[in-house]
Amino acid sequence: MAILFLPLFFFVFFNSILYSHSSNNNIIILQPTHRHHHTSSSSSCPAPNPNLYYQSVIGIVTHPGDGASGRLSNSSAVSNIPASYVKFVEAGGARVIPLVYNESPQKLLKKLDLVNGVLFTGGWAKDGQYFETVRRIFKKVLERNDGGEHFPLYAICLGFELITMIVSGDNNILEEFSASDQASALHFVENADIEGSLFQSFPPDLLKKLSTDCIVMQNHHFGISPEKLLNNKKLSSFFDVLTTCKDEDDKVYVSTMQSRNYPVTAFQWHPEKNAFEWGSANIPHTEDAIRVTHSTASFLVSEARKSSKRPDAQEVRDNLIYNYSPTYVGKAGKGYDEVYLFR
Ligand SMILES: *[C@@H]1O[C@H](CO)[C@@H](O)[C@H](O)[C@H]1NC(C)=O
C-alpha cells in the first residue's frame, strides 16, 4: 500500500513546494481581489477607440489562372488567390473578401463597397480584363480617399508594377531586373520619409535589421529604377521612394514606395511569403523574417481600421473568403502552397 501511494505523496509534496515558492515571490495573481487595484468589477476594460473599426475587411483581387501551372484547371475562366495573401490579412487581424477580376463590374463595385481596404497580389498578368479591373479598382481607391474615407491599398510585386503603369499612364515604363527567388535586405533611401509609413510601425530593432539582414523575399523580373521613377513627373509627384534593392547584376530598383497623399503602399518584395509560403528554399523563415510578415500585415489592418465604412454584417459574411476552400498545391514542391480557386 505504502509503495502505491508514494508517487501521490511526492506529487502533493512537490506541488506544495511549487505553490509556496510562487506565493513567496508574489507570482500568484489569480485571485480576483488581487487584480485591478483601483476598480473591483470586471467591467474595467476601457472601450476601444470608437473612431476605429475593428471588423475591417480587405478585398483581394483574384489573378487569372489556377495558380498551379494547370494542375488544378486549364480553363481560361478560372482565377485564383494564393492563400498566403489571405493568411497575411488574417494575421493582421482582418478578414478577406475575394474580388473576382472577371465578374461583372457591377458585382465588383458592390463587393468593393463591403471592404475597408484592398490588396493587389503578385502574379504575371499585365493586360486584358485583369489590367482593366485593377485599373478600375485603383481609381476607386483614390476616389474613396478623395471623398474623405481612409481606404488603404497594398500593391505587392505585380501589384507594384501595375500601379506604376497606371499612375504613369505608360504601359511600357517597367524595366527588366534579375531578382527572382532570392532573399535580400532593404536599402533605405537617404532622408526616406518613413513617418506615417509602414516602417514607422515596425519595432525599432526589426526596422534596423531590415537594412542589414536578408529578411525580405524577392521574386520578380520587372521593376523600375529610382532614376526612371524620379524623372517621371506623374510617378515622382505621386510616390515617395522609401527603399531600394540591388538585383543580381547590381542594378538598383525601387523596392518600397508610398503615395504622398493616399494610404497606398507598393512593395517590390513579398511580405506574405516569409510566414506562409514554402515552395522555395530561399524564402526566409527566421524569427525576424516572420516578424516582418506580421508587422507588415498589422500596418495594413491598422490603416483599414480608420475606414469610415460600416458595411452590413450579413452581406459581408455572404461574401467572405470563408465561403471558399483553399486547395493544397504545394505537394509539387514548387510554386504556391495553397490556392483559392474561383470559377
Ligand atoms: C492542363 O494541361 C496540361 C498540359 O496539357 C495537362 O498536363 C494537365 O493535366 C491539364 N490539367 C487539368 C486539370 O486537366
Side-chain angles (χ1 to χ4, degrees), residues 177-202:
F177 290 92
S178 306
S180 56
D181 196 19
Q182 59 186 53
S184 83
L186 295 175
H187 173 74
F188 284 83
V189 302
E190 219 173 305
N191 303 320
D193 187 13
I194 69 162
E195 205 184 303
S197 82
L198 148 80
F199 296 119
Q200 198 190 20
S201 73
F202 266 57

PDB file of all heavy atoms in Angstrom, residues 177-202:
ATOM      1  N   PHE A 177      14.655  43.353 -64.547  1.00  0.00           N
ATOM      2  CA  PHE A 177      15.635  43.122 -63.478  1.00  0.00           C
ATOM      3  C   PHE A 177      15.775  41.626 -63.242  1.00  0.00           C
ATOM      4  O   PHE A 177      14.880  40.856 -63.581  1.00  0.00           O
ATOM      5  CB  PHE A 177      15.184  43.817 -62.184  1.00  0.00           C
ATOM      6  CG  PHE A 177      15.256  45.321 -62.248  1.00  0.00           C
ATOM      7  CD1 PHE A 177      14.143  46.060 -62.645  1.00  0.00           C
ATOM      8  CD2 PHE A 177      16.424  45.990 -61.929  1.00  0.00           C
ATOM      9  CE1 PHE A 177      14.204  47.449 -62.722  1.00  0.00           C
ATOM     10  CE2 PHE A 177      16.490  47.372 -62.003  1.00  0.00           C
ATOM     11  CZ  PHE A 177      15.382  48.104 -62.401  1.00  0.00           C
ATOM     12  N   SER A 178      16.922  41.227 -62.687  1.00  0.00           N
ATOM     13  CA  SER A 178      17.112  39.816 -62.328  1.00  0.00           C
ATOM     14  C   SER A 178      17.027  39.688 -60.819  1.00  0.00           C
ATOM     15  O   SER A 178      18.028  39.798 -60.118  1.00  0.00           O
ATOM     16  CB  SER A 178      18.485  39.335 -62.799  1.00  0.00           C
ATOM     17  OG  SER A 178      18.635  39.594 -64.171  1.00  0.00           O
ATOM     18  N   ALA A 179      15.822  39.476 -60.342  1.00  0.00           N
ATOM     19  CA  ALA A 179      15.645  39.366 -58.885  1.00  0.00           C
ATOM     20  C   ALA A 179      14.652  38.258 -58.581  1.00  0.00           C
ATOM     21  O   ALA A 179      13.723  38.433 -57.806  1.00  0.00           O
ATOM     22  CB  ALA A 179      15.176  40.689 -58.306  1.00  0.00           C
ATOM     23  N   SER A 180      14.866  37.096 -59.238  1.00  0.00           N
ATOM     24  CA  SER A 180      13.918  36.022 -58.986  1.00  0.00           C
ATOM     25  C   SER A 180      14.428  35.100 -57.881  1.00  0.00           C
ATOM     26  O   SER A 180      15.612  34.771 -57.830  1.00  0.00           O
ATOM     27  CB  SER A 180      13.657  35.230 -60.265  1.00  0.00           C
ATOM     28  OG  SER A 180      14.863  34.758 -60.791  1.00  0.00           O
ATOM     29  N   ASP A 181      13.522  34.761 -56.995  1.00  0.00           N
ATOM     30  CA  ASP A 181      13.790  33.735 -55.989  1.00  0.00           C
ATOM     31  C   ASP A 181      15.031  33.997 -55.132  1.00  0.00           C
ATOM     32  O   ASP A 181      15.926  33.167 -55.039  1.00  0.00           O
ATOM     33  CB  ASP A 181      13.917  32.371 -56.692  1.00  0.00           C
ATOM     34  CG  ASP A 181      13.800  31.218 -55.714  1.00  0.00           C
ATOM     35  OD1 ASP A 181      13.282  31.433 -54.598  1.00  0.00           O
ATOM     36  OD2 ASP A 181      14.230  30.105 -56.062  1.00  0.00           O
ATOM     37  N   GLN A 182      15.081  35.184 -54.498  1.00  0.00           N
ATOM     38  CA  GLN A 182      16.219  35.475 -53.610  1.00  0.00           C
ATOM     39  C   GLN A 182      15.771  36.345 -52.437  1.00  0.00           C
ATOM     40  O   GLN A 182      14.854  37.153 -52.574  1.00  0.00           O
ATOM     41  CB  GLN A 182      17.320  36.195 -54.388  1.00  0.00           C
ATOM     42  CG  GLN A 182      16.883  37.517 -55.019  1.00  0.00           C
ATOM     43  CD  GLN A 182      17.957  38.130 -55.903  1.00  0.00           C
ATOM     44  OE1 GLN A 182      18.480  37.493 -56.804  1.00  0.00           O
ATOM     45  NE2 GLN A 182      18.298  39.375 -55.624  1.00  0.00           N
ATOM     46  N   ALA A 183      16.415  36.148 -51.306  1.00  0.00           N
ATOM     47  CA  ALA A 183      16.140  36.998 -50.147  1.00  0.00           C
ATOM     48  C   ALA A 183      17.099  38.183 -50.182  1.00  0.00           C
ATOM     49  O   ALA A 183      18.198  38.086 -50.720  1.00  0.00           O
ATOM     50  CB  ALA A 183      16.315  36.213 -48.858  1.00  0.00           C
ATOM     51  N   SER A 184      16.670  39.298 -49.625  1.00  0.00           N
ATOM     52  CA  SER A 184      17.540  40.473 -49.599  1.00  0.00           C
ATOM     53  C   SER A 184      17.235  41.329 -48.380  1.00  0.00           C
ATOM     54  O   SER A 184      16.279  41.064 -47.642  1.00  0.00           O
ATOM     55  CB  SER A 184      17.363  41.303 -50.875  1.00  0.00           C
ATOM     56  OG  SER A 184      16.241  42.158 -50.762  1.00  0.00           O
ATOM     57  N   ALA A 185      18.063  42.344 -48.169  1.00  0.00           N
ATOM     58  CA  ALA A 185      17.759  43.392 -47.193  1.00  0.00           C
ATOM     59  C   ALA A 185      17.114  44.542 -47.957  1.00  0.00           C
ATOM     60  O   ALA A 185      16.989  44.495 -49.178  1.00  0.00           O
ATOM     61  CB  ALA A 185      19.037  43.839 -46.510  1.00  0.00           C
ATOM     62  N   LEU A 186      16.668  45.562 -47.244  1.00  0.00           N
ATOM     63  CA  LEU A 186      16.120  46.752 -47.886  1.00  0.00           C
ATOM     64  C   LEU A 186      17.076  47.914 -47.638  1.00  0.00           C
ATOM     65  O   LEU A 186      17.534  48.107 -46.513  1.00  0.00           O
ATOM     66  CB  LEU A 186      14.740  47.099 -47.311  1.00  0.00           C
ATOM     67  CG  LEU A 186      13.608  46.096 -47.544  1.00  0.00           C
ATOM     68  CD1 LEU A 186      12.350  46.558 -46.807  1.00  0.00           C
ATOM     69  CD2 LEU A 186      13.313  45.927 -49.030  1.00  0.00           C
ATOM     70  N   HIS A 187      17.371  48.666 -48.686  1.00  0.00           N
ATOM     71  CA  HIS A 187      18.222  49.843 -48.515  1.00  0.00           C
ATOM     72  C   HIS A 187      17.329  51.073 -48.392  1.00  0.00           C
ATOM     73  O   HIS A 187      16.616  51.430 -49.335  1.00  0.00           O
ATOM     74  CB  HIS A 187      19.180  49.980 -49.702  1.00  0.00           C
ATOM     75  CG  HIS A 187      19.955  51.254 -49.673  1.00  0.00           C
ATOM     76  ND1 HIS A 187      20.991  51.472 -48.795  1.00  0.00           N
ATOM     77  CD2 HIS A 187      19.833  52.391 -50.395  1.00  0.00           C
ATOM     78  CE1 HIS A 187      21.469  52.685 -48.977  1.00  0.00           C
ATOM     79  NE2 HIS A 187      20.786  53.268 -49.937  1.00  0.00           N
ATOM     80  N   PHE A 188      17.339  51.707 -47.221  1.00  0.00           N
ATOM     81  CA  PHE A 188      16.515  52.899 -47.037  1.00  0.00           C
ATOM     82  C   PHE A 188      17.172  54.092 -47.729  1.00  0.00           C
ATOM     83  O   PHE A 188      18.359  54.350 -47.510  1.00  0.00           O
ATOM     84  CB  PHE A 188      16.313  53.177 -45.542  1.00  0.00           C
ATOM     85  CG  PHE A 188      15.309  52.239 -44.925  1.00  0.00           C
ATOM     86  CD1 PHE A 188      15.694  50.966 -44.503  1.00  0.00           C
ATOM     87  CD2 PHE A 188      13.971  52.599 -44.808  1.00  0.00           C
ATOM     88  CE1 PHE A 188      14.765  50.080 -43.965  1.00  0.00           C
ATOM     89  CE2 PHE A 188      13.045  51.718 -44.271  1.00  0.00           C
ATOM     90  CZ  PHE A 188      13.445  50.466 -43.846  1.00  0.00           C
ATOM     91  N   VAL A 189      16.408  54.767 -48.584  1.00  0.00           N
ATOM     92  CA  VAL A 189      16.986  55.906 -49.302  1.00  0.00           C
ATOM     93  C   VAL A 189      17.270  57.023 -48.307  1.00  0.00           C
ATOM     94  O   VAL A 189      16.641  57.110 -47.246  1.00  0.00           O
ATOM     95  CB  VAL A 189      16.064  56.417 -50.433  1.00  0.00           C
ATOM     96  CG1 VAL A 189      15.772  55.304 -51.430  1.00  0.00           C
ATOM     97  CG2 VAL A 189      14.781  56.992 -49.876  1.00  0.00           C
ATOM     98  N   GLU A 190      18.215  57.876 -48.658  1.00  0.00           N
ATOM     99  CA  GLU A 190      18.592  58.975 -47.785  1.00  0.00           C
ATOM    100  C   GLU A 190      17.374  59.864 -47.544  1.00  0.00           C
ATOM    101  O   GLU A 190      16.632  60.175 -48.472  1.00  0.00           O
ATOM    102  CB  GLU A 190      19.708  59.788 -48.449  1.00  0.00           C
ATOM    103  CG  GLU A 190      20.745  60.246 -47.438  1.00  0.00           C
ATOM    104  CD  GLU A 190      21.922  60.904 -48.128  1.00  0.00           C
ATOM    105  OE1 GLU A 190      22.518  60.256 -49.013  1.00  0.00           O
ATOM    106  OE2 GLU A 190      22.232  62.043 -47.773  1.00  0.00           O
ATOM    107  N   ASN A 191      17.182  60.259 -46.308  1.00  0.00           N
ATOM    108  CA  ASN A 191      16.037  61.094 -45.931  1.00  0.00           C
ATOM    109  C   ASN A 191      14.686  60.450 -46.263  1.00  0.00           C
ATOM    110  O   ASN A 191      13.726  61.158 -46.528  1.00  0.00           O
ATOM    111  CB  ASN A 191      16.102  62.471 -46.614  1.00  0.00           C
ATOM    112  CG  ASN A 191      17.390  63.196 -46.291  1.00  0.00           C
ATOM    113  OD1 ASN A 191      17.866  63.146 -45.157  1.00  0.00           O
ATOM    114  ND2 ASN A 191      17.983  63.820 -47.291  1.00  0.00           N
ATOM    115  N   ALA A 192      14.661  59.129 -46.267  1.00  0.00           N
ATOM    116  CA  ALA A 192      13.390  58.445 -46.518  1.00  0.00           C
ATOM    117  C   ALA A 192      12.352  58.941 -45.514  1.00  0.00           C
ATOM    118  O   ALA A 192      12.606  58.986 -44.314  1.00  0.00           O
ATOM    119  CB  ALA A 192      13.569  56.935 -46.395  1.00  0.00           C
ATOM    120  N   ASP A 193      11.205  59.335 -46.029  1.00  0.00           N
ATOM    121  CA  ASP A 193      10.151  59.886 -45.175  1.00  0.00           C
ATOM    122  C   ASP A 193       9.287  58.746 -44.652  1.00  0.00           C
ATOM    123  O   ASP A 193       8.237  58.448 -45.202  1.00  0.00           O
ATOM    124  CB  ASP A 193       9.304  60.878 -45.986  1.00  0.00           C
ATOM    125  CG  ASP A 193       8.295  61.600 -45.102  1.00  0.00           C
ATOM    126  OD1 ASP A 193       8.420  61.508 -43.857  1.00  0.00           O
ATOM    127  OD2 ASP A 193       7.380  62.231 -45.655  1.00  0.00           O
ATOM    128  N   ILE A 194       9.781  58.114 -43.573  1.00  0.00           N
ATOM    129  CA  ILE A 194       9.046  56.932 -43.102  1.00  0.00           C
ATOM    130  C   ILE A 194       7.932  57.304 -42.133  1.00  0.00           C
ATOM    131  O   ILE A 194       7.180  56.446 -41.688  1.00  0.00           O
ATOM    132  CB  ILE A 194       9.972  55.876 -42.447  1.00  0.00           C
ATOM    133  CG1 ILE A 194      10.528  56.364 -41.115  1.00  0.00           C
ATOM    134  CG2 ILE A 194      11.078  55.462 -43.382  1.00  0.00           C
ATOM    135  CD1 ILE A 194      11.068  55.227 -40.265  1.00  0.00           C
ATOM    136  N   GLU A 195       7.789  58.594 -41.833  1.00  0.00           N
ATOM    137  CA  GLU A 195       6.742  58.991 -40.895  1.00  0.00           C
ATOM    138  C   GLU A 195       5.374  58.642 -41.479  1.00  0.00           C
ATOM    139  O   GLU A 195       5.072  58.975 -42.622  1.00  0.00           O
ATOM    140  CB  GLU A 195       6.841  60.490 -40.616  1.00  0.00           C
ATOM    141  CG  GLU A 195       6.248  60.847 -39.268  1.00  0.00           C
ATOM    142  CD  GLU A 195       6.258  62.356 -39.033  1.00  0.00           C
ATOM    143  OE1 GLU A 195       7.337  62.956 -39.088  1.00  0.00           O
ATOM    144  OE2 GLU A 195       5.166  62.892 -38.818  1.00  0.00           O
ATOM    145  N   GLY A 196       4.566  57.965 -40.678  1.00  0.00           N
ATOM    146  CA  GLY A 196       3.235  57.572 -41.140  1.00  0.00           C
ATOM    147  C   GLY A 196       3.258  56.415 -42.114  1.00  0.00           C
ATOM    148  O   GLY A 196       2.232  56.013 -42.626  1.00  0.00           O
ATOM    149  N   SER A 197       4.461  55.894 -42.394  1.00  0.00           N
ATOM    150  CA  SER A 197       4.547  54.771 -43.330  1.00  0.00           C
ATOM    151  C   SER A 197       4.538  53.462 -42.570  1.00  0.00           C
ATOM    152  O   SER A 197       4.638  53.416 -41.346  1.00  0.00           O
ATOM    153  CB  SER A 197       5.827  54.864 -44.163  1.00  0.00           C
ATOM    154  OG  SER A 197       6.926  54.330 -43.432  1.00  0.00           O
ATOM    155  N   LEU A 198       4.449  52.405 -43.343  1.00  0.00           N
ATOM    156  CA  LEU A 198       4.569  51.048 -42.829  1.00  0.00           C
ATOM    157  C   LEU A 198       5.755  50.908 -41.870  1.00  0.00           C
ATOM    158  O   LEU A 198       5.645  50.291 -40.812  1.00  0.00           O
ATOM    159  CB  LEU A 198       4.741  50.143 -44.049  1.00  0.00           C
ATOM    160  CG  LEU A 198       5.577  48.887 -43.948  1.00  0.00           C
ATOM    161  CD1 LEU A 198       4.740  47.811 -43.291  1.00  0.00           C
ATOM    162  CD2 LEU A 198       6.018  48.443 -45.331  1.00  0.00           C
ATOM    163  N   PHE A 199       6.889  51.499 -42.246  1.00  0.00           N
ATOM    164  CA  PHE A 199       8.114  51.267 -41.479  1.00  0.00           C
ATOM    165  C   PHE A 199       8.096  51.950 -40.115  1.00  0.00           C
ATOM    166  O   PHE A 199       8.750  51.500 -39.186  1.00  0.00           O
ATOM    167  CB  PHE A 199       9.330  51.710 -42.287  1.00  0.00           C
ATOM    168  CG  PHE A 199       9.530  50.903 -43.539  1.00  0.00           C
ATOM    169  CD1 PHE A 199       9.498  51.505 -44.786  1.00  0.00           C
ATOM    170  CD2 PHE A 199       9.715  49.533 -43.468  1.00  0.00           C
ATOM    171  CE1 PHE A 199       9.658  50.750 -45.941  1.00  0.00           C
ATOM    172  CE2 PHE A 199       9.876  48.760 -44.616  1.00  0.00           C
ATOM    173  CZ  PHE A 199       9.851  49.381 -45.861  1.00  0.00           C
ATOM    174  N   GLN A 200       7.322  53.019 -40.000  1.00  0.00           N
ATOM    175  CA  GLN A 200       7.263  53.687 -38.705  1.00  0.00           C
ATOM    176  C   GLN A 200       6.611  52.782 -37.655  1.00  0.00           C
ATOM    177  O   GLN A 200       6.871  52.910 -36.468  1.00  0.00           O
ATOM    178  CB  GLN A 200       6.481  54.994 -38.813  1.00  0.00           C
ATOM    179  CG  GLN A 200       6.772  55.912 -37.629  1.00  0.00           C
ATOM    180  CD  GLN A 200       5.836  57.101 -37.588  1.00  0.00           C
ATOM    181  OE1 GLN A 200       4.770  57.093 -38.176  1.00  0.00           O
ATOM    182  NE2 GLN A 200       6.252  58.124 -36.880  1.00  0.00           N
ATOM    183  N   SER A 201       5.755  51.863 -38.137  1.00  0.00           N
ATOM    184  CA  SER A 201       5.069  50.998 -37.183  1.00  0.00           C
ATOM    185  C   SER A 201       5.897  49.749 -36.844  1.00  0.00           C
ATOM    186  O   SER A 201       5.482  48.934 -36.022  1.00  0.00           O
ATOM    187  CB  SER A 201       3.703  50.590 -37.745  1.00  0.00           C
ATOM    188  OG  SER A 201       3.866  49.656 -38.789  1.00  0.00           O
ATOM    189  N   PHE A 202       7.054  49.580 -37.505  1.00  0.00           N
ATOM    190  CA  PHE A 202       7.921  48.434 -37.180  1.00  0.00           C
ATOM    191  C   PHE A 202       8.569  48.618 -35.813  1.00  0.00           C
ATOM    192  O   PHE A 202       8.930  49.737 -35.448  1.00  0.00           O
ATOM    193  CB  PHE A 202       9.037  48.308 -38.230  1.00  0.00           C
ATOM    194  CG  PHE A 202       8.730  47.358 -39.356  1.00  0.00           C
ATOM    195  CD1 PHE A 202       7.608  47.537 -40.145  1.00  0.00           C
ATOM    196  CD2 PHE A 202       9.564  46.285 -39.616  1.00  0.00           C
ATOM    197  CE1 PHE A 202       7.317  46.659 -41.181  1.00  0.00           C
ATOM    198  CE2 PHE A 202       9.288  45.396 -40.660  1.00  0.00           C
ATOM    199  CZ  PHE A 202       8.162  45.589 -41.442  1.00  0.00           C
TER     200      PHE A 202
END
